[in-house]
Amino acid sequence: MASKQAEKKKDATGGKAARGTDGAERVFIFDTTLRDGEQSPGCSMNLEEKLQVAHVLEEMGVDVIEAGFPIASKGDFEAVQAVAAAVKASRVAGLARATRKDIDRAAEALKGAATPRIHTFISTSPLHMKFKLQMEPEDVHQAVVDSVGHARNLCDDVEWSPEDGTRTEHDFLCRCVESAIKAGAGTINIPDTVGYTIPEEFHALIAMLKNRVPNIDKAVISVHCHNDLGLGVANSLAAVQAGARQVECTVNGIGERAGNAAMEEVVMALRTRHDAMPYTTGVKTEMITKASRLVSTITGFSVQPNKAIVGANAFAHESGIHQDGMLKNAETYEIMTPESVGLSRSTLVMGKHSGRHAFKSKLEELGFSLNDNEIQDAFLRFKDLADAKKDVYDEDIIALVDDAVLRHNDRLRFVSLQVVCGSKGPQTAELEMEIDGAAKTAKAEGNGPVDATFAAISQLFPHTASLQLYQVHAVTEGTDAQAEVTVRLEEAGKTVNGQGADHDTLVASARAYINALNKLLVKREKTAPQVMSA
């Protein structure tokens, strides 16, 4: 039997609906960026990067952080273990299939958590049971009872999910949900695993569960919506209106295939349309932009300019009519303020004469919290950039800080690059790198300066990965703009994205390729277990 202290902790996300300071019902935010988000093709995070994201999510006020899938690999286990030990204010969850081995591994990884949660799942749709599990419904139902019961014996807080829940027969879904709650699940999560449902249909499904499952009042209803039809957020909000009180989502909407419901969109929709949806969350929305930038940099997934809430154009107005309205009253075309999501109006102009103190103030203004060594590394990069261009914009500083600071523990590190190129050829690149702390140099020719640069990297660090994408964009305007390069590599069916920024496009290219190789080293450790979706 759970202790009174454990029951008190459980009440924070279980049982009767909690309420915010304004009396509105509380919707809990379950962030799965570190688990489902990391399953995005091309995405990979090492342990330190996962800890950085976890700390930002905790600071934001996210209720539950799903740290990973402990059985997936030694690296995943260690990451969940590290996040569990580091995070105190948020619950930390580990995912497990409906097997004792998975559940035991998750429990072991979560031992150090202040408030751990085991999240276990099994497929329940006819299609999945027949072709993926190759199990009869009765056997699946028994697996639900056994797995939840075992998890509950190891952890006071258990969440259960019926994978492919939106395509599960209602009678069987109700039976499994009732049994899961009876076996000890305090949260019942209904996933739209393949992004198939539509808002009206999903609203009806949640309402049906509330009406038909006799013990549903003993658990929090959660939802986990994928975005295959672009309806992840809409479906999540429809479920909230029907009675769901936990939303599973990811920063920037990253995730398998088309991604998950975007956390920033769910949170800001509830905040902005409080009149139509009288619910509240515990998320500090002013940290949304910081979290978005961090996840984008670490994963190598750029945020599209027209992305809601966090896209570069989200608060940009080019139309003359719009600009005129904005000058008269910002509310004519802005339904939320840039400051509400952490975008500040810059008042500090930076240049080559700016000192370390001014640079530190700018970093704080942009939402960065760095130690003295990290500030010094970033400041040196800033001075080099300021020598190369007249005006240094906020976007330039964000790019160089992300590139300089977030990767200081990489095994492969860029040192210097010298390139000879032009119409006469041959194009050559002379590169210096550090590999596990040892300095190495190489000189290579190629079909162009980029090819020569990548060839030099391959000489120093031989590998079998193939280049799938090479993309360059300017961070700001002007011919002296800093370049940001994205590189995608593929090896043995695994893809990774790397990013690099520099005022020299070729240097940025080298940094991006090396960043991708570092991510590939992390990805090589992962051996995804069967039935990994949820």
Side-chain angles (χ1 to χ4, degrees):
M1 182 176 290
S3 65
K4 289 183 178 180
Q5 184 180 10
E7 288 298 330
K8 185 177 180 181
K9 289 180 180 178
K10 186 177 178 182
D11 286 343
T13 54
K16 294 181 180 179
R19 294 188 179 274
T21 54
D22 61 353
E25 282 194 42
R26 175 75 180 273
V27 172
F28 299 103
I29 299 300
F30 178 115
D31 187 277
T32 184
T33 301
L34 299 179
R35 199 277 299 172
D36 201 332
E38 204 205 10
Q39 289 175 210
S40 305
C43 176
S44 188
M45 304 183 211
N46 61 32
L47 190 149
E48 184 186 1
E49 290 168 341
K50 283 194 171 188
L51 281 172
Q52 288 176 7
V53 174
H55 281 307
V56 169
L57 294 175
E58 179 184 30
E59 190 181 353
M60 285 181 78
V62 165
D63 298 288
V64 186
I65 300 171
E66 189 166 51
F69 199 171
I71 200 72
S73 67
K74 183 175 181 285
D76 257 43
F77 176 86
E78 291 174 346
V80 174
Q81 194 175 47
V83 171
V87 170
K88 303 303 179 187
S90 303
R91 291 173 181 269
V92 178
L95 188 68
R97 293 168 297 182
T99 68
R100 294 180 73 90
K101 184 179 179 182
D102 272 40
I103 293 166
D104 289 345
R105 190 68 167 159
E108 186 181 355
L110 293 167
K111 272 183 182 177
T115 46
R117 173 180 292 184
I118 293 177
H119 178 194
T120 185
F121 71 97
I122 192 170
S123 295
T124 54
S125 70
L127 187 66
H128 279 221
M129 288 190 293
K130 180 179 180 180
F131 292 103
K132 189 168 72 171
L133 298 181
Q134 297 181 341
M135 292 172 66
E136 293 298 321
E138 283 303 316
D139 296 325
V140 169
H141 176 262
Q142 189 59 50
V144 172
V145 175
D146 293 343
S147 60
V148 173
H150 182 57
R152 185 64 182 80
N153 286 331
L154 299 174
C155 184
D156 290 325
D157 187 359
V158 176
E159 176 172 334
W160 177 73
S161 293
E163 187 179 2
D164 205 23
T166 53
R167 295 193 295 178
T168 297
E169 293 175 347
H170 285 191
D171 287 349
F172 187 62
L173 181 61
C174 288
R175 183 183 174 206
C176 287
V177 167
E178 181 180 359
S179 296
I181 296 171
K182 193 177 294 184
T187 302
I188 297 296
N189 177 55
I190 307 301
D192 184 27
T193 304
V194 293
Y196 178 73
T197 196
I198 59 176
E200 183 179 8
E201 184 178 60
F202 202 39
H203 183 286
L205 177 63
I206 300 303
M208 181 275 296
L209 289 172
K210 285 181 69 67
N211 289 329
R212 289 186 54 185
V213 177
N215 57 356
I216 196 68
D217 61 317
K218 291 181 171 59
V220 170
I221 299 178
S222 173
V223 290
H224 178 117
C225 297
H226 279 264
N227 207 38
D228 297 72
L229 294 176
L231 296 171
V233 171
N235 287 332
S236 299
L237 296 176
V240 168
Q241 290 180 305
R245 289 297 176 267
Q246 177 178 283
V247 174
E248 305 198 357
C249 43
T250 61
V251 176
N252 296 338
I254 64 173
E256 291 199 84
R257 304 181 312 279
N260 290 24
M263 185 257 280
E264 61 277 2
E265 294 177 24
V266 170
V267 169
M268 289 308 295
L270 292 174
R271 172 173 167 160
T272 305
R273 292 308 313 274
H274 195 67
D275 57 325
M277 297 178 289
Y279 312 106
T280 186
T281 74
V283 172
K284 299 171 187 172
T285 63
E286 294 78 12
M287 293 190 64
I288 282 175
T289 297
K290 178 180 179 179
S292 172
R293 288 169 175 166
L294 177 67
V295 170
S296 176
T297 300
I298 285 176
T299 61
F301 279 58
S302 299
V303 176
Q304 66 192 62
N306 63 327
K307 165 77 170 64
I309 315 299
V310 293
N313 294 346
F315 295 95
H317 304 273
E318 189 164 316
S319 162
I321 295 174
H322 286 207
Q323 290 174 344
D324 180 65
M326 283 291 296
L327 291 171
K328 293 173 180 175
N329 188 325
E331 291 183 7
T332 55
Y333 288 102
E334 280 188 354
I335 61 172
M336 65 195 99
T337 66
E339 291 80 7
S340 69
V341 298
L343 279 173
S344 59
R345 303 293 188 186
S346 180
T347 58
L348 192 60
V349 178
M350 303 298 292
K352 66 180 181 179
H353 299 298
S354 299
R356 192 176 186 275
H357 181 73
F359 180 70
K360 184 178 179 181
S361 297
K362 170 60 73 174
L363 293 179
E364 292 172 355
E365 179 185 313
L366 294 173
F368 290 105
S369 179
L370 309 180
N371 62 40
D372 289 342
N373 288 335
E374 291 170 338
I375 290 174
Q376 183 61 24
D377 290 345
F379 182 64
L380 293 175
R381 285 282 300 274
F382 161 72
K383 295 298 282 187
D384 289 341
L385 179 63
D387 284 338
K389 43 181 316 194
K390 181 179 178 181
D391 298 312
V392 179
Y393 299 96
D394 288 358
E395 293 85 355
D396 290 314
I397 294 174
I398 292 165
L400 74 86
V401 171
D402 288 343
D403 196 64
V405 173
L406 296 179
R407 298 166 187 166
H408 60 275
N409 281 338
D410 285 348
R411 286 182 57 194
L412 313 178
R413 300 190 66 186
F414 171 88
V415 177
S416 67
L417 176 69
Q418 188 70 35
V419 176
V420 176
C421 61
S423 59
K424 293 183 179 180
Q427 289 80 33
T428 61
E430 191 168 347
L431 175 75
E432 182 178 356
M433 286 173 57
E434 283 185 5
I435 301 177
D436 293 326
K440 296 187 177 183
T441 60
K443 188 173 183 179
E445 292 185 2
N447 185 20
V450 175
D451 187 49
T453 299
F454 291 175
I457 295 172
S458 296
Q459 276 189 32
L460 294 177
F461 189 77
H463 57 83
T464 59
S466 60
L467 182 66
Q468 301 293 307
L469 173 73
Y470 172 75
Q471 184 174 287
V472 182
H473 84 269
V475 174
T476 55
E477 297 178 354
T479 56
D480 63 350
Q482 192 174 194
E484 191 167 63
V485 176
T486 300
V487 164
R488 180 176 300 149
L489 300 179
E490 187 273 333
E491 181 186 69
K494 298 177 180 179
T495 59
V496 292
N497 289 340
Q499 284 187 326
D502 197 88
H503 61 273
D504 186 306
T505 304
L506 295 175
V507 172
S509 301
R511 291 184 183 277
Y513 199 99
I514 292 168
N515 179 235
L517 285 175
N518 277 299
K519 291 184 177 299
L520 194 61
L521 293 176
V522 176
K523 201 83 166 182
R524 283 175 178 174
E525 298 177 0
K526 297 182 181 295
T527 53
Q530 188 182 5
V531 195
M532 194 158 182
S533 300

